[in-house]
Each structure stands twice: as C-alpha cells, then as structure tokens.
Amino acid sequence: MGPKTIERQTGVALWRQIADRIRVSISDGAYDATGMVPPEAVLAAEFGVNRHTVRSALAALAQEGIVRAMQGRGTLIERRDRINFPISKRTRFTPGIGDQARAVEGLLLDSAIEPADADIANHLRLEAGTPVMRLEALRKADGQAVSRSTSWFPLPRFEGIDAAYRKSGSITAAFAACGLGDYLRLRTEISAVHADPGDRDVLGLSPGAIVMIAKALNTDIDGVPVQYAVTRFPADRVQFTIEN
Amino acid sequence: MGPKTIERQTGVALWRQIADRIRVSISDGAYDATGMVPPEAVLAAEFGVNRHTVRSALAALAQEGIVRAMQGRGTLIERRDRINFPISKRTRFTPGIGDQARAVEGLLLDSAIEPADADIANHLRLEAGTPVMRLEALRKADGQAVSRSTSWFPLPRFEGIDAAYRKSGSITAAFAACGLGDYLRLRTEISAVHADPGDRDVLGLSPGAIVMIAKALNTDIDGVPVQYAVTRFPADRVQFTIEN
DNA sequence: GGAAATTTGTACGTATGTATC
DNA sequence: GGATACATACGTACAAATTTC
C-alpha cells in the first residue's frame, strides 16, 4: 500500500501512530512469513523516525499483548486474530463466531427496568415511558473481550430475561426461556468511533483504539420488535461480513 | 451515556480526544436543541480540563468546517451530516445515497491494466497473473468526499470500463456500457482502521480520523464475479445500514 | 439606551510530554 | 544519558463582541 509516512503535530504522538499502523499490518498478515515484526532499525527507517520512537510504539503493543520483544532475537508476534462476525436475517452471536473460537462466553454486567426514552420506544414501537428491560453484556471469545452491548427488551413479555441471560450467557437461549423460539434481524446500522474510556476499560483497549458500533433491531417471526441492541466491537479484533 | 472522562499521557493529546468526542456528539444530534456547542467553560468543566484545551479541540473542528466560533455568541454547528449507505443484494452507490445529497459525483483518479495478485485472483475466480483492470475512484456528495475506492475488473470482459466510468461517474453506467445490465452484491466485509496519510489527503480528513473499509464482491446474475472493490469511507461522514 | 452577564479572543507565564541528536 | 526544541496543558488575567434585563 501507500508510503509509510506519518504526520507530526497532529495531536497524536508519533509512537501511537506507528503502533496503530503496525497493529493493522499484523492483523493483515503482513509479517506472517517470519512471525516477527521487522527489526526496530528497519521500522525506524521505514517511518522516518528515531529508533527510540519505534521502541515506544512496540512497548505499547507489548503492553497490549500483541508482540513480545526478545533480546537478541527480535520482536515476536503473539496474537493476530480478527474474528469475523456474519450479519444476516438469522444473525446470532454465539453460533456466528462459534467455529472461530473455542470458548465463547456472555457475561451479564448490569440490568435494570427503566422507562423507554423516545429513541428506544421508537425502535421497539412502544409509547415513550413504557417500562423496558435494559441489559448490559460483555462477550468474550477465548478469554478476549470481543463486544460490549446494551440491549432493550419490551416488558412484560421478556420479564426475567436478565436472569435467563446470566445463567446461559446467550441471548438466543434467554429468548427461548421467555418463550420465544425464533427471531429475525430486521435492520443493522454500522458506524465507527474512537473508543471512549468505558470501552477501553470494559474491552481492554488502548487509547485511540477504534470501536465499530452495530445498532440492531430484532423482531419475532410476526415482525414485532423483541430487542433493540447497541453493540460496540473493538475494530482491531472484529470485522463484519454481510452475505446476500 | 458514560462519564465524559478523558485520559492523559496516552499518546493522544487531550484536545484531540475532546474534538473526537464533540464530533460524535454533534453527529448524534446531542446539541440539536440549540444548534450550538455548549460554551467553552461548560465543556471544560464536563471534561475536567482547562478552557484552553477545549479551545484547541474546537479550533480543530472549526478547521474541519464542522463548527464556527462567534465571539460573544457561542460556537455554531455548521455541519452535522452522516450519510447513510444501504447494503443489500442490489447495492449501488449513486441511488443508495441519492435522496440524501443533491449532487453525487464519481471521479476517476487512476486506472491501469495489471496482473492479478493472489488475493484479487482468488476473489474474481481467475488464475493469478491474469490481467485485470484496476480503477481508483473518489466519490463526492454535495462536494464532500464520501469514499475512496479501488476496484478490480476481469479482462477482456470489461475492457474500456475506465473510460466509461470517467464519462459517467457511475459504476452501474460503466457496467452497462460494457454490456452488463444487472449485477448483484454477493458479499461485503466491513472493518475500520485509522486513516492513513493517503486517506487524509484524498478524503480531506484530519489526523487520527477513522475510515471504515468495505471489501465487496459483485457478480453478474449467473454468479460470475464482475468486480472486487475495496472502498474506504470516512467514519464521521458515513454509516452503513443492512436491511434483511 | 445602558449596565450587567455571557461568551469568545488574546496574552503571558510555568510545567510536563514528545522527539531528535 | 544529557542537551535541545517544540508541542501539550494549565493557570490567570483581561479585551472584545453579543445577549439579556
């Protein structure tokens, strides 16, 4: 691809720009031939910076557990996984990434019954102020956090879905426990922003990291909304695929 | 949403973190009631920083043309558009955003006949090394750059598609000129990364900006690949919608 | 119209972070 | 590691434009 130029005095430190570029290169498999990052001196020359600056970048990546520097040998790539998340009419989280990770868990972080604000009510086709169940969940694949979601469910239809999710770690299973056997993905909106401190904390991201946001509406087979969800995915670990 | 905390000594300047947060708030319509950004002193208190730091953030947004500060009055929001780009079996660029912008243009930046590398050949179901047409295009909506794409087309089927695209500014029209009346979107992959200097240059982005990358495969009605495209969209101007 | 309050613009000084050599 | 240069962030004070009462 393009030249490895970086820009100064932009509000983003050079070492961070370089760390972000190397992270993407690793993710793209650019260094798969050797399983190593090029030597610091080579990277410094490529980016046109001092070797100390490259060292700062690699130290940040080592902190994230992506590389490990070994004296006298070089800098080893520890992890280069990007999970693919398929989106379709039958979008489900766990089976969707099931064959890409050994262990998939869903953790209930928080839940509460709250009056629906105008936006949520509109999506779920309720009157504003109607009580809804809000559910915050964290999903992990092989121990790595891959998404952080906030969902809203209409009440009283899905009373107790929080307890069911806590037990099963799966939305599909929690729906089944509430008597909903099948559901469909009606619409998904995808955007991307910088991770906020909450994302960094919950998902274990570094500052300046990117999260992709999927806003999704699920309905039952009759087209009645059953869930509106806003899910935040770390962009360096996840990508989406839409099959038509 | 969450608290407006920001983090220090992370390689990303506070003013840039704050600029990014305000840009998203504007995009989300958080300030639509007044059409103004809150006063500098209020923002400074919210983010827990000095007023000068907020001023740096607003200066960056003013540079992007998103806000305009007016002495004694406040800081006016100039632009808060996020174009929605629908993805479906019949995904097309121009009609897809047609009702959201008055003028949509497609500019041919570059084109060349090249041997397909392994990745491109695999997507287009060709032998590696087979000549293909590579086409670089920039798309604008109301004068604002909204995407930068690189497409590959099999030859000799689409010989001259670059000239047809230059004339029409539309892939659909260029396909028609080559005798292809209809085509389907088979698969789309979506990821997000930091804008590289090329993106910033071509799309007019600020450093640290985010681009969403859509890798798309189009086929004719018989399922034969006709185009593989990698398109980069500025995340602060575009979102995707998938309707199932 | 005039005074006060609000809000952005400018200026100086100090401390710390970043990057080079 | 030390010296140097520049960017970042804070603190304070006051000027200039606009709104409010």
Side-chain angles (χ1 to χ4, degrees):
Chain A
M1 286 292 155
K4 301 209 174 175
T5 50
I6 48 180
E7 282 180 357
R8 290 146 200 269
Q9 298 159 25
T10 60
V12 184
L14 296 186
W15 64 264
R16 175 143 296 288
Q17 295 182 53
I18 292 168
D20 291 337
R21 297 277 290 267
I22 294 175
R23 196 192 296 104
V24 171
S25 292
I26 290 173
S27 212
D28 286 351
Y31 307 133
D32 279 7
T34 59
M36 311 270 287
V37 170
E40 292 171 358
V42 173
L43 290 169
E46 275 179 3
F47 288 110
V49 300
N50 193 278
R51 184 171 147 257
H52 294 310
T53 308
V54 169
R55 283 181 62 76
S56 299
L58 292 176
L61 294 176
Q63 186 67 29
E64 294 176 42
I66 292 175
V67 301
R68 188 178 47 188
M70 303 181 73
Q71 200 171 123
R73 298 187 53 185
T75 302
L76 194 70
I77 294 169
E78 291 269 86
R79 179 159 60 73
R80 82 159 215 71
D81 39 10
R82 184 176 274 189
I83 287 177
N84 187 49
F85 186 70
I87 296 177
S88 70
K89 211 179 203 43
R90 278 281 187 313
T91 295
R92 272 118 180 85
F93 193 89
T94 311
I97 63 169
D99 52 345
Q100 301 172 62
R102 285 180 300 278
V104 181
E105 340 163 47
L107 300 165
L108 179 65
L109 297 182
D110 187 30
S111 71
I113 295 176
E114 293 173 351
D117 69 21
D119 192 41
I120 303 302
N122 184 40
H123 283 110
L124 293 179
R125 278 194 254 142
L126 302 171
E127 297 284 319
T130 310
V132 291
M133 170 75 74
R134 177 178 54 79
L135 192 154
E136 312 268 348
L138 172 67
R139 285 175 180 121
K140 294 186 175 187
D142 291 338
Q144 272 275 316
V146 293
S147 86
R148 172 198 186 195
S149 70
T150 304
S151 296
W152 290 266
F153 302 89
L155 292 177
R157 186 172 182 187
F158 296 106
E159 222 146 46
I161 196 168
D162 49 346
Y165 183 78
R166 187 197 302 276
K167 225 186 268 183
S168 64
S170 154
I171 291 286
T172 304
F175 270 143
C178 293
L180 178 67
D182 195 13
Y183 61 102
L184 300 175
R185 175 67 63 95
L186 183 65
R187 188 177 60 245
T188 311
E189 268 179 29
I190 296 177
S191 57
V193 302
H194 288 99
D196 64 32
D199 296 324
R200 299 212 288 270
D201 190 35
V202 174
L203 297 173
L205 301 177
S206 60
I210 298 171
V211 291
M212 291 194 285
I213 302 177
K215 300 185 178 183
L217 182 63
N218 284 325
T219 67
D220 62 21
I221 49 170
D222 298 324
V224 178
V226 295
Q227 177 191 23
Y228 180 68
V230 177
T231 309
R232 303 168 76 91
F233 299 82
D236 60 339
R237 292 180 206 153
V238 177
Q239 66 172 17
F240 299 114
T241 305
I242 301 109
E243 306 267 357
N244 290 308
Chain B
M1 288 293 159
K4 301 208 175 176
T5 51
I6 48 180
E7 282 178 355
R8 290 149 199 268
Q9 294 162 25
T10 60
V12 184
L14 295 185
W15 64 263
R16 175 143 294 288
Q17 296 183 52
I18 292 168
D20 293 334
R21 298 275 291 267
I22 294 174
R23 195 192 297 104
V24 171
S25 292
I26 290 173
S27 212
D28 287 349
Y31 308 132
D32 280 8
T34 58
M36 312 269 287
V37 170
E40 294 169 357
V42 173
L43 291 171
E46 276 180 1
F47 288 110
V49 300
N50 193 274
R51 186 175 144 243
H52 291 307
T53 307
V54 168
R55 283 180 61 75
S56 297
L58 291 174
L61 295 176
Q63 187 67 28
E64 294 176 43
I66 292 175
V67 302
R68 188 178 47 186
M70 302 180 74
Q71 192 171 151
R73 300 188 57 180
T75 302
L76 194 70
I77 294 170
E78 292 268 87
R79 182 160 57 74
R80 83 159 214 71
D81 40 8
R82 185 178 273 189
I83 288 178
N84 187 47
F85 186 70
I87 296 177
S88 70
K89 213 179 200 44
R90 279 280 186 317
T91 295
R92 273 120 180 83
F93 192 89
T94 311
I97 64 167
D99 52 344
Q100 302 172 61
R102 285 180 298 280
V104 181
E105 339 163 48
L107 300 165
L108 179 65
L109 298 181
D110 186 30
S111 70
I113 295 176
E114 293 173 350
D117 69 21
D119 191 41
I120 304 302
N122 183 39
H123 283 109
L124 293 179
R125 277 194 254 143
L126 302 172
E127 297 284 319
T130 309
V132 291
M133 170 75 74
R134 176 178 54 81
L135 192 154
E136 312 268 347
L138 173 67
R139 286 177 180 120
K140 294 186 174 186
D142 293 338
Q144 272 273 318
V146 293
S147 85
R148 173 199 187 196
S149 70
T150 305
S151 296
W152 290 266
F153 303 89
L155 292 176
R157 185 172 183 186
F158 297 107
E159 221 145 47
I161 197 167
D162 50 345
Y165 183 77
R166 187 197 303 277
K167 225 187 266 183
S168 64
S170 155
I171 291 287
T172 305
F175 270 141
C178 293
L180 179 66
D182 194 13
Y183 61 100
L184 301 174
R185 173 66 62 96
L186 182 66
R187 188 178 62 244
T188 311
E189 268 179 30
I190 296 176
S191 56
V193 301
H194 288 98
D196 65 33
D199 296 325
R200 299 212 286 271
D201 190 35
V202 174
L203 297 172
L205 300 177
S206 60
I210 298 171
V211 291
M212 290 192 286
I213 303 178
K215 299 185 179 184
L217 181 63
N218 284 325
T219 67
D220 63 19
I221 48 169
D222 298 322
V224 177
V226 295
Q227 178 191 22
Y228 180 69
V230 177
T231 309
R232 303 169 76 91
F233 299 82
D236 59 339
R237 295 181 204 152
V238 176
Q239 67 173 17
F240 299 112
T241 305
I242 301 111
E243 307 267 357
N244 290 310

